[in-house]
Structure formats: structure tokens, C-alpha cells
Amino acid sequence: MAVPKLEMRPLGNTGLKLSSVGFGASPLGSVFGSVSESDAVASVLEAFRLGINFFDTSPYYGATLSEKMLGKGLKALGVPRSEYIVSTKCGRYREGFDFNAERVTKSIDESLERLQLDYVDIFQCHDIEFGSLDQVVNETIPALQKLKEAGKIRFIGITGLPLEIFTYVLDRVPPGTVDVILSYCHYSINDSTLEDLLPYLKTKGVGIISASPLAMGLLTEFGPPEWHPASPELKSACQAAAVYCKEKGKNISKLAMQYSLSNKDISTVLVGMNSVKQVEENVAAATELALFGKDHETLAEVEAILKPVKNQTWPSGIQRS
């Protein structure tokens, strides 16, 4: 049986087609433990070889290390620039948040240098709930439009945790100004609240990136990192679900990936990767889903375990020193 290619999905009205699995490069910044340059480059090469064409980073991840590592990986591909899609962000830095026009304008030049690129496909305002949404609407996005005219970026996006930030901004900018939104932790087995926003986003012609299908580690056998902001109740329910899967010989992370991938209105599911093994596991989850469909029985059991905590979120942002 031939292994199906990774599905390509349109990103809103951009004309871009993204692989259904996207490569989240935050772990390349050693955010979740140290990653060597050779492992970082190898994971980017393997991702591209297996059909992933979308790579997402930010100057905030690993205090610019993620962008540098991703840049080295992309350079090592040795393929035409048009064959991959790169997204980075502005407004969130190691030293804090700054959405003013001057800072974000400088930010793109710094990012392009680190990424060793002439342009990025998508430039996103990062975690805008920590700034002033009115500043993002009136100052940041107009500054990004100038960068678009200058050819340094192709499309404009916004990212953050609370879903209401997206409607707030999209209702206040001219139609077609914001091309993409990146939402995280709101389309996974334990929280599918992004679903309610999909019809609205489609009417706005906005491409939808959903990140963190594993809910920042909640839906893994190892469990979340110490700093995870979820409630003890949510953490223990997810742990119980992971144990249940393991006892059945199933992997909760694969189940979670497949749950997130099965909604075709979401252009790409962005998941952090820092090793060839992780890349292979994530692509395997997608190819198995294409071949065999979802594991409805296990999924129903896991949903039942998580029902008491379904759609429970947490205060915005990862508050880490």
C-alpha cells in the first residue's frame, strides 16, 4: 500500500497551500531542553523530505536561537525558496512586549538576518493579548502593511490564547488586512472552542493555523512541564486519559494529533518538533489518519474521561522567567 503524501490545505485567501502538519520550531530554541545544531538541522531536513512545507518560529523562542537554528536548517535544504513557507513573529521578545511601529519594523530585518532569508511568507503579531489591542489595530498592523509593500513579508497574522482577541482585531481592521490567525490550545481533545469561531473566520477569508494539538504537553505520556498553567484537575484528567491509552497499547499524542488534523477547515496543525523521531511520529499520525481514519473507539473513551474538564482553559500566556 502506497503511503499517502501529506495533505496540502489552502490558507484562507492567501493562495498558499500548507502541509496539514506544520513544523513548530520553538523547541529548536532549546525551550524544552537543549537541542544540538545537528539535531535541529536534521529535523528540518527530515520534515521537508516527508512533505512538511510550513515552518513557524519567533524571535522570542529561545531568545532568537530558534530563528537561527531554523535558518541553518532551511539553508541546508538547498531547494528553491518558493518550495517552503516560513512564518515568524514580532512584538514579543526576551526583554518583553513591544508592538510599536518602530520596533516591529526593526524586528523583521533582525529576523530575516537570523533566518538567512530575503522575505518571510507570514509575519505575525505575537501574543497580542499582552499588548494593547487598539495599538495592534491602529499602529502595528499598518506598520506591517508597509513591510508587505516593501516585499519583506507576504502576509500578516495575529496570534494569542484568548479567542476573543481575534474577533476584536478582525472587526476593526479593513477587510483583507489580516490574512492569518494562529490559535493555540483551542483545538485539541480537551478543548475544541476554536470550532465555534471557524464560521466567522471563514467569512473573513482568514487562514487558520491551530497550534499545540498536545495542549502544551497535557496530552502526552510524559505529562506537561512543571510550569504548565492548567489547573490540577485538568492535569490529572489528562494524565488519566494518557494512562488509559497506554494500557490499551495506544498513544495519546497520536490520538490528539489525529483529532486536530481531522478538521479540514484548519489549514495546518502546528506542532513543536526537535528531533527526526518526533518529525516521523507526527507525519505518521497524519498518514495513518489518511489511510485508516480516526480511532473512534479510543477517542470516545478519552473524551469521556476528559468530559468533566472539557474546554477548561487557563489565564493567558506562559508566565515563565
Side-chain angles (χ1 to χ4, degrees), residues 58-60 63-64 67 89-112 114 123-126 135 139-141 143-144 147 152:
S58 164
Y60 175 64
T64 75
E67 284 187 328
K89 308 185 186 80
C90 62
R92 184 169 200 180
Y93 309 98
R94 177 173 52 181
E95 52 278 9
F97 292 90
D98 189 347
F99 291 99
N100 82 52
E102 191 184 350
R103 181 68 187 97
V104 301
T105 303
K106 195 168 149 236
S107 195
I108 186 64
D109 292 330
E110 295 166 352
S111 288
L112 290 175
R114 287 189 288 260
F123 199 43
Q124 308 179 93
C125 304
H126 194 178
Q135 182 188 31
E139 182 181 344
T140 318
I141 289 171
L144 267 47
L147 297 177
K152 293 181 179 182

Side-chain angles (χ1 to χ4, degrees), residues 8-309:
M8 296 304 220
R9 298 180 182 176
L11 182 69
N13 292 339
T14 64
L16 297 177
K17 286 214 161 131
L18 270 54
S19 48
S20 60
V21 176
F23 185 107
S26 71
L28 300 189
S30 296
V31 176
F32 301 97
S34 73
V35 179
S36 69
E37 187 177 316
S38 58
D39 282 350
V41 169
S43 58
V44 171
L45 294 176
E46 183 67 353
F48 187 78
R49 189 182 76 80
L50 293 177
I52 292 176
N53 75 340
F54 176 55
F55 299 84
D56 175 88
T57 182
S58 164
Y60 175 64
Y61 301 147
T64 75
L65 183 60
S66 170
E67 284 187 328
K68 289 172 191 158
M69 290 287 208
L70 179 59
K72 287 174 179 174
L74 294 172
K75 196 173 177 97
L77 288 177
V79 299
R81 172 67 183 86
S82 56
E83 289 194 26
Y84 53 85
I85 294 162
V86 179
S87 152
T88 192
K89 308 185 186 80
C90 62
R92 184 169 200 180
Y93 309 98
R94 177 173 52 181
E95 52 278 9
F97 292 90
D98 189 347
F99 291 99
N100 82 52
E102 191 184 350
R103 181 68 187 97
V104 301
T105 303
K106 195 168 149 236
S107 195
I108 186 64
D109 292 330
E110 295 166 352
S111 288
L112 290 175
E113 190 176 330
R114 287 189 288 260
L115 287 162
Q116 305 180 60
L117 298 174
D118 298 326
Y119 69 92
V120 292
D121 300 276
I122 306 164
F123 199 43
Q124 308 179 93
C125 304
H126 194 178
D127 289 343
I128 59 172
E129 67 270 26
F130 288 101
S132 150
L133 295 183
D134 290 325
Q135 182 188 31
V136 169
V137 168
N138 300 317
E139 182 181 344
T140 318
I141 289 171
L144 267 47
Q145 284 179 284
K146 287 184 181 156
L147 297 177
K148 200 174 185 177
E149 286 156 21
K152 293 181 179 182
I153 70 175
R154 293 178 68 198
F155 300 103
I156 293 168
I158 51 176
T159 86
L161 184 68
L163 293 171
E164 60 273 17
I165 62 174
F166 300 121
T167 46
Y168 188 93
V169 171
L170 291 168
D171 284 343
R172 286 165 178 78
V173 294
T177 310
V178 172
D179 305 290
V180 181
I181 68 112
L182 187 158
S183 163
Y184 70 98
C185 291
H186 290 308
Y187 201 88
S188 47
I189 306 174
N190 60 301
D191 181 339
S192 57
T193 46
L194 177 62
E195 200 155 22
D196 299 334
L197 202 59
L198 296 178
Y200 166 88
L201 293 168
K202 284 172 83 178
T203 63
K204 294 278 185 187
V206 169
I208 301 153
I209 299 167
S210 181
S212 212
L214 312 183
M216 302 192 318
L218 285 175
L219 302 174
T220 60
E221 283 181 4
F222 307 110
E226 279 292 302
W227 48 260
H228 199 294
S231 70
E233 182 195 15
L234 179 52
K235 285 179 181 172
S236 67
C238 290
Q239 188 183 8
V243 168
Y244 171 81
C245 287
K246 197 168 186 183
E247 284 168 358
K248 279 196 73 174
K250 310 278 183 180
N251 183 302
I252 193 161
S253 298
K254 184 189 281 186
L255 197 70
M257 261 312 273
Q258 293 181 338
Y259 176 91
S260 298
L261 283 165
S262 55
N263 190 321
K264 303 287 176 92
D265 287 333
I266 290 168
S267 304
T268 187
V269 174
L270 191 58
V271 61
M273 312 188 208
N274 64 8
S275 67
V276 166
K277 182 171 176 283
Q278 284 181 2
V279 171
E280 287 170 349
E281 284 171 358
N282 289 315
V283 172
T287 49
E288 281 177 36
L289 178 67
L291 285 170
F292 309 115
K294 271 193 294 199
D295 179 349
H296 291 283
E297 187 189 336
T298 311
L299 189 59
E301 294 293 337
V302 166
E303 287 186 305
I305 294 167
L306 296 177
K307 195 167 181 230
V309 292

